Amino acid sequence: MMEHESNVNPTLSKSTGLPRKRFYRARAHSNPLSDSHFPVPVAPSQFDYSSHYPQISNDSKKIEFADIGCGFGGLLISLSTLFPATLMIGMELRDKVTEYVKERILALRTGNPGQYQNISVVRTNSMKYIPNYFEKGQLKKMFFLFPDPHFKEKNHRRRVISPYLLDEYAYALAVGGIIYTITDVEELGEWMKSCLERHPLFEPLIVQELEDDPVVKLLSTATEEGQKVARNGGQTYQAVYRRRTGPIE
């Protein structure tokens, strides 16, 4: 009995088999301008699909959804069953959080044969390496849910939505592709909306499109951050924009 108990992985929940967050806690955010050490593909063609999606045999299939700063992976999990034929990736800078999402996905795959094969996570700095992972026009959806607000004006350059970075996102997004953003910080919400509004390659979705899009409903409910805001009765600020026709190199 004692030998059996010693072999139990304490990081996994006995009831669900899923990893327990308390073993993977990290700082709420990381400095995106710091130099971290992790492997990065030199080009999108060098990204190792087989290690991330081992059950996907179609070599022509490419990632179409990217969750930038995916946190504990709640959105990815929800999207996986909503779009089972779509490959998606979470991009996270914090190493412990990335490891948690990896373990969570593996546990879900084990407990639900045939499901969750279309999602994965990679530790990387999306503010630096988006072009290393995605070809021009490859993505159909990009998500920026509850990003670090970087309140101080001198740190606004660290914000994941900025005029400069929107150029890179517009490059990776197909025409008609959509950027989804949400925050509970009003000033950041206005900032992200203003950046998108002023960019020549993005246009807002109209009210009817937002109501018809099942993904919009997940923005405030699928993530740990969104659930915390809801529990506290907080307000959220969304900006959802479409990649419009126009050249970018």
Side-chain angles (χ1 to χ4, degrees), residues 98-231:
T98 305
E99 192 60 32
Y100 171 85
V101 179
K102 285 181 182 178
E103 295 295 331
R104 185 179 185 183
I105 292 171
L106 287 174
L108 285 169
R109 288 175 176 176
T110 300
N112 303 272
Q115 290 187 292
Y116 303 104
Q117 300 294 336
N118 60 328
I119 56 174
S120 190
V121 65
V122 63
R123 185 185 179 214
T124 193
N125 187 337
S126 57
M127 290 181 66
K128 292 183 177 181
Y129 301 120
I130 285 288
N132 296 71
Y133 287 91
F134 309 118
E135 298 170 355
K136 182 177 180 180
Q138 177 176 331
L139 297 176
K140 292 183 178 178
K141 296 184 187 294
M142 296 185 76
F143 301 92
F144 301 84
L145 276 53
F146 300 96
D148 191 334
H150 293 293
F151 289 107
K152 295 180 181 179
E153 187 172 350
K154 68 177 183 179
N155 291 333
H156 285 183
R157 64 197 177 101
R158 298 180 181 179
R159 288 180 168 176
V160 73
I161 296 290
S162 70
Y164 166 73
L165 288 171
L166 283 177
D167 287 345
E168 290 201 354
Y169 305 153
Y171 181 88
L173 275 168
V175 172
I178 300 175
I179 276 186
Y180 299 82
T181 75
I182 188 172
T183 179
D184 60 331
V185 179
E186 184 174 9
E187 187 273 330
L188 178 61
E190 290 299 321
W191 164 281
M192 294 193 292
K193 183 177 180 180
S194 176
C195 288
L196 285 158
E197 190 69 35
R198 294 177 182 179
H199 198 285
L201 293 178
F202 290 99
E203 60 185 8
L205 270 65
I206 62 174
V207 173
Q208 189 61 53
E209 289 175 314
L210 293 172
E211 292 177 352
D212 293 342
D213 188 342
V215 173
V216 172
K217 300 174 180 63
L218 296 176
L219 301 184
S220 58
T221 62
T223 68
E224 183 184 64
E225 294 88 346
Q227 292 163 10
K228 188 185 302 181
V229 172
R231 285 197 303 271

Side-chain angles (χ1 to χ4, degrees), residues 64-79:
E64 296 183 67
F65 293 3
D67 185 6
I68 310 301
C70 67
F72 290 99
L75 180 67
L76 283 173
I77 303 303
S78 296
L79 290 173

